[in-house]
Amino acid sequence: MMYNVKPYIHLFFITIMVVACMPCIFAQSGYRMWLDYRPLDNDLAIRYREQLRTLVFPITGETDSVAHAELLEALNGLLGHEPSHADTSNGPGILLVGSASTLPATGPVSEALALLPEHDDAYVIYSGVYGENPCTVILGGSDKGVLYGVYAFIASLQCGEDITQLSKVACPKIQLRLLNHWDNLDRTVERGYAGFSLWDWHRLPGYRDPRYTDYAKANASLGINGTVLNNVNANARILTQPYLEKAAALADIFRPYGIKVYLSARFSAPVELGGLADADPHNPAVQRWWKEKASEIYRHIPDFGGFLVKANSEGQPGPQNYDRNHADGANLLADALKPYGGVVMWRAFVYEDTEPEDRAKQAYNEFVPLDGQFRDNVIIQVKNGPIDFQPREPFHPLFGVMPQSQLMMEFQITQEYLGFATHLVYLGTLFSEVLQSDTHRHRPNSTVAQVIDGSMNPQPLTAIAGVANTGTAINWTGHPFAQANWYAYGRLAWDPDVDASAIAEDWLRQTFGNNDTFVHDVLPLMMRSREAAVNYMTPLGLHHLMGWDHHYGPGPWIKDKPRADWTSVYYHQADKDGIGFDRTAIGSDALGQYAPEVQAKFENPQTCPDEYLLWFHHLPWDFRMKSGRTLWDELCHRYYGGVETVAAIQATWAAQKNRVNNDTFQEVADLLAMQYEEAKIWRNACVLYFRQFSGMPIPDGLEHPEHPLEYYENLHVHVIPGI
Ligand code: BDP
């Protein structure tokens, strides 16, 4: 039978073209993030090929296998070449990868071993000599250290480093490095702006989406070693058998990558799931219920990490419902997990049902009296600032004041208060600013980083958490640059003292290719982006001015809500006499919760850094600022300056057209255009709103907002994700 192929011939070629283009569409989508192993510059690739001719990589388990596979994939992609394999060899260009128990401890391996810190996760990347020939050694403290070392080595190649001179010694300063997913069981994500939850609960455990493995790779490449799968506003059902089976499937996928699974536990689960009359920590039946639940969990997930708990906060149940305190609640769960080595991360983001005189003081007031009462497998999870992930907050006063307890950091990677996944805001600078803040709790330069890495007050458990910004978006995080925030968080979790700019530079090189001109232009843009957002949203220490409930866009006028501390007017306190929250001794005295040196830094408005001025002080509109301007004029200049920086960022990005792929270029350009318009809305709304109280004109030279205040008050954002 003869077929007429003519009608199909076009279809055939179209199919061929689509299939041929798929890898590039895929690459352009941003799915591979910083693990996009595109070919390096040819000269560099030739040099590396010579230096990496032979691979010695004994494989003894699953973690070795995944590290080995990743290394080969990277070498294939970056260098277009796969080294030959050998058991041991003495030729030129050898790469030896393994641990003390898998590599022969001779020559360069023993030299590397001498440098290796005593820690499972540690690694050394060492350029040595094998026989007569230069070689490279990646030596891990265990198979996990090997995996981390492999990823670090790949990053060195991506960044074009000279691999004949390497002597990198790395050891994490923080033990538990976690992502917190605020993912609900229906796959919505609270404060998630990148699509739905990655966890396909319906099809788990039967269908194991390959994306789970890619998620694990991205985390492992940064050293992230734990993930809390579900929202802190927890649904008790996560602790039922079907969900434990699903969580166990994820744990199995993540295990080779060194990642443990944790769950958010609802404190009232014994009532909801167990049918008990209460969840009182002193009730033996409740204690028994948690013990049995722990044993059931460990049957499913033998290396289960533990529980994250939000209790007595924003309506969540907790021990205070039964007149018990946070230590009673945390210890109840800690005792249940203890036999299995599990930990409880008990959140300090708490607030009473009654309105406090100053919400910023509450966590300190509730937790400091409990110092020393928590079990040794409890760690208190403290948000970076005392209110709630605002664009800028001073560090949380709990850091450094609970020497008998273990404290950990909670950062927010998802941009709830920083323009969602629409605004380009690099958070490495925010995270670093907090980590390097001096608590003065021990001696000068007792940084927040030293509290959480345990070097200030020794604590056996150290941990850090970042509220994830991931979702089903093809590029994982919505905004292409939001990937940098996941990356920066992971790098700082490993070493909170790394410079935010160095991290951003590595991310740019790994993500967009090793192009100096591009990095030269785009790095400063990233480094300015967070300050720009602070300026167009909440300059000079203002905070909590955002739209009601959804938290997108400005809402300085928000008032008359169920709680005063959920409104904006509570925080800015603008009236005809001035603006700002007086937290000095004559105000709420929240400042009194800090060390005397910190108090001294902030208590005098003449010397208080501008960045925190209105956080700590209520000042008259004509207060003379360090710049010589009145407070009102300075406020306006900050708002306008923030918008101008966004315009400058747009211009810089526009010049990158030929240096990034079209899709990413266009996506970032479009998002920056939105950001510019929204920054103007923030600026105009806030300046017009506050002008009602200051009664002063917008300074000369600054353009007048195009609409009256009512226009901005009546703007409605119609599609709001993540509520
Ligand atoms: C706030 C969020 C809310 C979270 C809460 C928390 O608006 O969605 O549940 O923090 O951290 O920032 O518990």
Side-chain angles (χ1 to χ4, degrees):
M1 191 161 45
M2 288 285 289
Y3 291 99
N4 178 3
V5 293
K6 255 194 176 159
Y8 302 106
I9 205 100
H10 290 107
L11 203 59
F12 174 75
F13 282 113
I14 288 170
T15 310
I16 293 284
M17 276 168 64
V18 168
V19 170
C21 285
M22 260 163 63
C24 65
I25 293 169
F26 194 60
Q28 293 209 350
S29 70
Y31 181 85
R32 301 294 311 251
M33 301 194 283
W34 52 90
L35 301 178
D36 188 2
Y37 304 137
R38 78 194 67 182
L40 292 172
D41 163 78
N42 202 29
D43 291 347
L44 192 61
I46 291 172
R47 193 159 3 115
Y48 283 154
R49 281 202 287 256
E50 283 304 304
Q51 291 158 350
L52 301 169
R53 283 200 216 166
T54 310
L55 177 63
V56 179
F57 192 157
I59 293 174
T60 56
E62 272 190 309
T63 300
D64 285 335
S65 297
V66 299
H68 181 257
E70 191 73 13
L71 182 61
L72 292 190
E73 190 183 337
L75 295 178
N76 271 308
L78 296 168
L79 316 183
H81 136 106
E82 193 165 310
S84 59
H85 286 68
D87 291 338
T88 51
S89 159
N90 201 4
I94 302 179
L95 174 60
L96 294 125
V97 188
S99 64
S101 57
T102 63
L103 288 178
T106 52
V109 176
S110 65
E111 286 157 28
L113 198 53
L115 300 173
L116 185 69
E118 250 181 68
H119 194 294
D120 278 1
D121 296 356
Y123 62 85
V124 170
I125 309 179
Y126 180 70
S127 307
V129 180
Y130 204 88
E132 316 246 292
N133 299 301
C135 70
T136 312
V137 180
I138 304 176
L139 187 72
S142 72
D143 54 354
K144 273 192 285 158
V146 173
L147 178 68
Y148 296 143
V150 162
Y151 276 114
F153 182 67
I154 294 171
S156 296
L157 300 178
Q158 290 173 299
C159 296
E161 287 177 20
D162 178 356
I163 59 163
T164 64
Q165 305 294 329
L166 292 173
S167 181
K168 278 194 188 171
V169 179
C171 184
K173 292 187 181 157
I174 299 175
Q175 233 178 295
L176 308 178
R177 306 173 294 274
L178 290 99
L179 286 185
N180 285 183
H181 289 274
W182 286 0
D183 294 18
N184 298 314
L185 302 187
D186 63 2
R187 295 193 79 177
T188 56
V189 181
E190 184 157 339
R191 312 307 176 186
Y193 313 112
F196 287 92
S197 169
L198 293 170
W199 324 133
D200 184 353
W201 295 113
H202 173 61
R203 294 195 289 175
L204 277 166
Y207 176 61
R208 299 176 179 215
D209 189 333
R211 196 161 189 174
Y212 303 143
T213 307
D214 293 335
Y215 165 87
K217 286 183 186 182
N219 282 321
S221 74
L222 304 171
I224 290 173
N225 63 2
T227 180
V228 183
L229 298 177
N230 61 316
N231 194 352
V232 284
N233 295 319
N235 186 326
R237 268 193 304 141
I238 193 74
L239 299 178
T240 58
Q241 188 188 329
Y243 279 93
L244 293 178
E245 284 168 7
K246 295 167 194 288
L250 291 174
D252 290 344
I253 297 167
F254 300 159
R255 190 167 298 112
Y257 294 90
I259 297 166
K260 282 189 182 180
V261 156
Y262 298 70
L263 295 174
S264 292
R266 187 167 161 85
F267 196 78
S268 53
V271 178
E272 284 141 11
L273 304 181
L276 300 187
D278 60 58
D280 183 350
H282 288 193
N283 177 350
V286 172
Q287 295 163 0
R288 215 168 25 249
W289 189 87
W290 281 110
K291 287 199 164 126
E292 281 163 14
K293 187 48 76 181
S295 132
E296 183 189 352
I297 294 173
Y298 281 92
R299 277 200 301 279
H300 289 285
I301 310 172
D303 57 352
F304 178 64
F307 292 135
L308 170 63
V309 187
K310 172 176 178 177
N312 292 119
S313 170
E314 299 185 324
Q316 293 298 316
Q320 292 173 340
N321 299 26
Y322 309 100
D323 288 328
R324 313 292 179 201
N325 63 34
H326 284 289
D328 296 324
N331 293 344
L332 164 75
L333 301 183
D335 289 344
L337 296 176
K338 180 78 180 171
Y340 314 95
V343 303
V344 172
M345 290 163 290
W346 191 267
R347 293 178 90 225
F349 179 72
V350 296
Y351 50 98
E352 290 159 8
D353 296 338
T354 53
E355 277 160 36
E357 46 151 349
D358 180 358
R359 202 175 102 194
K361 291 171 66 175
Q362 198 161 345
Y364 179 105
N365 288 344
E366 288 202 33
F367 277 82
V368 172
L370 301 177
D371 190 21
Q373 295 182 29
F374 294 91
R375 299 280 193 266
D376 63 3
N377 59 334
V378 173
I379 186 159
I380 302 166
Q381 180 164 319
V382 184
K383 285 189 181 180
N384 59 271
I387 297 287
D388 190 6
F389 298 138
Q390 291 300 294
R392 171 168 278 125
E393 298 192 30
F395 68 87
H396 201 297
L398 275 177
F399 290 117
V401 280
M402 295 186 65
Q404 308 301 317
S405 310
Q406 312 187 97
L407 255 66
M408 65 182 279
M409 170 66 77
E410 178 176 328
F411 280 126
Q412 193 178 45
I413 311 171
T414 190
Q415 292 169 233
E416 175 180 0
Y417 299 100
L418 281 152
F420 294 7
T422 310
H423 293 201
L424 190 165
V425 182
Y426 172 55
L427 296 179
T429 45
L430 186 162
F431 301 153
S432 277
E433 177 179 289
V434 177
L435 291 164
Q436 297 311 319
S437 296
D438 191 351
T439 66
H440 282 279
R441 283 297 179 191
H442 205 55
R443 50 181 134 58
N445 208 24
S446 296
T447 60
V448 170
Q450 291 169 22
V451 178
I452 61 167
D453 72 14
S455 56
M456 190 194 298
N457 302 304
Q459 52 180 62
L461 262 183
T462 54
I464 184 166
V467 180
N469 62 350
T470 52
T472 48
I474 190 153
N475 72 356
W476 302 84
T477 58
H479 199 302
F481 274 74
Q483 294 177 357
N485 295 334
W486 180 1
Y487 181 96
Y489 164 74
R491 291 282 305 272
L492 288 164
W494 179 278
D495 181 354
D497 298 314
V498 183
D499 177 50
S501 169
I503 295 174
E505 177 167 348
D506 287 348
W507 176 76
L508 284 170
R509 291 187 191 276
Q510 288 183 251
T511 305
F512 293 103
N514 193 30
N515 177 336
D516 286 337
T517 324
F518 177 74
V519 171
H520 173 269
D521 284 4
V522 179
L523 180 59
L525 166 169
M526 290 176 73
M527 293 301 288
R528 297 174 73 193
S529 59
R530 182 267 182 143
E531 203 60 41
V534 169
N535 282 332
Y536 64 71
M537 291 179 174
T538 51
L540 299 178
L542 288 172
H543 47 288
H544 211 289
L545 301 185
M546 67 286 164
W548 169 248
D549 196 19
H550 54 71
H551 300 169
Y552 198 70
W557 44 78
I558 303 288
K559 58 178 182 182
D560 301 332
K561 294 296 178 190
R563 294 173 63 115
D565 57 345
W566 285 353
T567 68
S568 303
V569 295
Y570 171 92
Y571 293 98
H572 64 65
Q573 305 203 358
D575 57 21
K576 67 175 179 15
D577 297 325
I579 180 171
F581 199 124
D582 186 351
R583 294 193 165 104
T584 65
I586 52 165
S588 77
D589 200 23
L591 187 53
Q593 295 182 334
Y594 290 92
E597 294 83 350
V598 179
Q599 293 181 34
K601 178 175 169 190
F602 293 120
E603 74 195 347
N604 179 351
Q606 303 297 339
T607 49
C608 176
D610 285 354
E611 287 71 20
Y612 300 100
L613 193 63
L614 302 178
W615 185 282
F616 288 114
H617 299 277
H618 185 82
L619 296 170
W621 295 105
D622 60 358
F623 174 82
R624 200 48 68 187
M625 300 289 292
K626 293 181 201 71
S627 63
R629 295 184 178 125
T630 63
L631 170 57
W632 165 252
D633 279 7
E634 184 67 31
L635 188 69
C636 292
H637 277 282
R638 296 281 173 138
Y639 271 112
Y640 280 78
V643 174
E644 275 165 33
T645 307
V646 178
I649 288 175
Q650 274 186 291
T652 305
W653 185 255
Q656 310 310 315
K657 193 165 176 44
N658 299 321
R659 300 188 188 131
V660 279
N661 71 63
N662 291 339
D663 291 353
T664 307
F665 173 79
Q666 201 51 52
E667 183 174 0
V668 173
D670 290 351
L671 291 173
L672 282 172
M674 289 174 73
Q675 182 174 357
Y676 178 71
E677 290 308 319
E678 292 175 2
K680 276 205 301 189
I681 291 175
W682 264 98
R683 177 196 75 187
N684 293 347
C686 292
V687 166
L688 290 173
Y689 172 79
F690 291 130
R691 197 183 56 166
Q692 304 176 101
F693 304 103
S694 79
M696 295 161 101
I698 293 173
D700 287 346
L702 302 182
E703 70 179 289
H704 221 269
E706 37 235 281
H707 304 286
L709 176 60
E710 301 69 56
Y711 169 87
Y712 298 101
E713 284 176 338
N714 290 314
L715 277 181
H716 290 292
V717 197
H718 291 291
V719 182
I720 304 275
I723 300 182

